[in-house]
Amino acid sequence: PAQYPLAMTPNDPGWNDLSGIKGGPRMNATFVTLARNADVWEIAKSIRSVEDRFNRRYNYDWVFLNDKPFDDTFKKVTSSLVSGKTYYGEIPTEHWSFPPHIDQEKAKKVREDMRQRKIIYGDSVSYRHMCRFESGFFFRQPLMMNYDYYWRVEPSVEFHCDIHYDPFRFMHENKKKYSFVLSLYEYFETIPTLWDSVTKFMKNHPEHIAEGNSMAFLSDDGGKTYNKCHFWSNFEIGSLNWLRSKAYIDYFESLDQDGGFFYERWGDAPVHSIAAGLMLKKEEIHFFNDIAYYHVPFTHCPTGEQYRLDRKCHCNPKENFDWKGYSCTSRYYELNGLKKPEGWQDNSD
Ligand code: GDP
Ligand code: MN
């Protein structure tokens, strides 16, 4: 393992010393992507970006998951692009279908109603399976059981700055369990009763609620109502052991019983975020300011010109979402008593 502490800025010892990295100390961690065969060219772009900015120097593994078998093209293209080992898993039907307690007729009526109201993905069955899978099952697929940390990557995303240190190792050394780069308000029509379910869970399982948590990120009235803030889960670096803990599994099962993945359209982003916000200490959630990222339609571009130049960033700082009105990242800063970076006012709108 590297002898120096983790280099985070160009002034830290070891910033330019990559010798200990190539083939060097790696965490027990993997990238993970849920995708369809048709997503191959879009995930190819994401992989190139991850490799160019980070993984070519670390060679972490990459696990691909699909509800159908991956085809040869998907496997050939992705395995040629990833510098680490690649693994391909097929999701079992129980993790990608309606659980027996769901009333199919009721669920169908909801989809029809949401279609008429033009709610995004409101009429989709597969999107609901996807959200439920990402909420409760990806971390317990057999291929994921060997790892401690994951980094979720979706098709068509982009990373704009060099990452000069290992975010997995950062998570481990700093006892972080969950992380984000973008946060925003959820579309209320997709989660009208989610907070009722969460409230019920909190009553039934007070033992899982952490002291010193981030309730103030999620609620403006001490927990009575949800303010809809969530971390955007298309990017996540997190602890698999936390997701596999009794606390998280009890939480997921309680929500799943209430049926909102199908009777509404609960997303895995608010589901993960509320779990992290309530069941982790606030210090266990990390904002990766230095990981510049784009997923349509939002960009996280680090604030501060010198900061971006040092990392060879190619994002437009005007597009940074962090300090805009629809971002929840200011709340995270305030809750954690963090000082906003120099120049944050310049691109707040
Ligand atoms: P959005 O970001 O909310 O617009 O949703 P995406 O279309 O990006 O889907 C989220 C993730 O789930 C992506 O990694 C997709 O590749 C994956 N995904 C979505 N639907 C399906 C599906 O039906 N099957 C599989 N295997 N993956 C899916
Ligand atoms: Mn996406």
Side-chain angles (χ1 to χ4, degrees), residues 8 163 165 167 170-171 174-184 214 217 230-232 235-238 276 280-293 298-304 307 311 320-324 327-342 344 347:
M8 301 292 293
I163 302 169
Y165 65 96
F170 175 88
M171 297 288 288
N174 295 282
K175 301 190 167 53
K176 305 287 185 188
K177 305 255 172 71
Y178 192 79
S179 69
F180 71 100
V181 290
L182 285 159
S183 72
L184 69 158
S214 308
F217 179 77
H230 64 288
F231 307 120
W232 221 22
F235 169 97
E236 280 177 335
I237 301 175
L280 297 179
K281 294 183 195 305
K282 64 180 177 8
E283 298 77 19
E284 292 176 317
I285 303 178
H286 182 64
F287 171 56
F288 273 114
N289 184 41
D290 37 18
I291 301 186
Y293 176 78
F298 300 121
T299 299
H300 165 64
C301 186
T303 305
Y307 196 97
R311 290 160 181 78
N320 181 33
F321 186 63
D322 298 354
W323 318 118
K324 297 195 181 182
S327 166
C328 291
T329 298
S330 277
R331 281 175 194 271
Y332 172 86
Y333 266 69
E334 284 149 26
L335 160 71
N336 287 284
L338 300 173
K339 195 171 151 286
K340 290 185 189 163
E342 205 81 28
W344 71 274
N347 60 0

Side-chain angles (χ1 to χ4, degrees), residues 2 29 51 53-54 56 76 113 117 129 144 158 171 178 188 214 219 225 230 259 262-263 284 300 302 304 318 320 330:
E51 290 289 338
R53 292 303 196 168
F54 169 70
R56 68 193 166 87
K76 268 194 283 189
D113 174 59
R117 289 156 62 208
H129 290 322
M144 298 300 287
E158 203 172 344
M171 297 288 288
Y178 192 79
F188 182 73
S214 308
S219 175
T225 59
H230 64 288
F262 300 102
Y263 301 146
E284 292 176 317
H300 165 64
K318 288 209 173 63
N320 181 33
S330 277

Side-chain angles (χ1 to χ4, degrees), residues 36-239:
R36 295 154 289 214
N37 286 310
D39 295 322
V40 61
W41 304 113
E42 296 306 313
I43 195 61
K45 288 187 220 167
S46 303
I47 295 171
R48 267 316 300 210
S49 183
V50 169
E51 290 289 338
D52 291 348
R53 292 303 196 168
F54 169 70
N55 202 41
R56 68 193 166 87
R57 296 186 294 127
Y58 287 83
N59 314 146
Y60 277 103
D61 295 351
W62 206 306
V63 171
F64 296 91
L65 301 171
N66 189 351
D67 57 305
K68 305 221 165 57
F70 280 114
D71 63 28
D72 285 345
T73 303
F74 191 98
K75 289 193 218 173
K76 268 194 283 189
V77 171
T78 53
S79 63
S80 84
L81 293 172
V82 174
S83 60
K85 293 199 180 90
T86 48
Y87 299 95
Y88 301 87
E90 193 177 336
I91 298 161
T93 314
E94 313 86 81
H95 297 171
W96 196 279
S97 52
F98 294 91
H101 65 272
I102 294 297
D103 176 343
Q104 298 277 341
E105 277 309 305
K106 184 174 162 186
K108 195 168 164 188
K109 284 211 189 84
V110 169
R111 295 196 300 275
E112 175 54 25
D113 174 59
M114 286 197 176
R115 188 183 64 78
Q116 285 176 14
R117 289 156 62 208
K118 296 198 164 54
I119 293 170
I120 185 168
Y121 299 119
D123 61 345
S124 171
V125 174
S126 67
Y127 195 84
R128 285 182 171 79
H129 290 322
M130 183 277 285
C131 290
R132 180 169 175 264
F133 176 79
E134 294 286 24
S135 296
F137 300 105
F138 84 90
F139 48 85
R140 30 181 174 162
Q141 298 305 295
L143 288 173
M144 298 300 287
M145 295 307 284
N146 302 326
Y147 300 103
D148 297 327
Y149 294 94
Y150 71 100
W151 180 333
R152 174 168 165 184
V153 178
E154 284 202 356
S156 321
V157 303
E158 203 172 344
F159 291 87
H160 307 103
C161 302
D162 282 351
I163 302 169
H164 289 213
Y165 65 96
D166 182 349
F168 291 126
R169 192 151 68 91
F170 175 88
M171 297 288 288
H172 182 70
E173 291 190 350
N174 295 282
K175 301 190 167 53
K176 305 287 185 188
K177 305 255 172 71
Y178 192 79
S179 69
F180 71 100
V181 290
L182 285 159
S183 72
L184 69 158
Y185 294 95
E186 181 58 301
Y187 188 18
F188 182 73
E189 305 306 314
T190 66
I191 49 145
T193 70
L194 174 58
W195 196 253
D196 298 337
S197 271
V198 168
T199 305
K200 186 168 102 189
F201 167 77
M202 288 193 281
K203 278 216 184 80
N204 291 340
H205 289 283
E207 76 279 14
H208 292 330
I209 307 305
E211 247 175 77
N213 65 17
S214 308
M215 177 62 100
F217 179 77
L218 302 170
S219 175
D220 300 341
D221 49 21
K224 228 184 289 160
T225 59
Y226 180 35
N227 63 21
K228 298 170 282 176
C229 277
H230 64 288
F231 307 120
W232 221 22
S233 63
N234 47 66
F235 169 97
E236 280 177 335
I237 301 175
S239 161

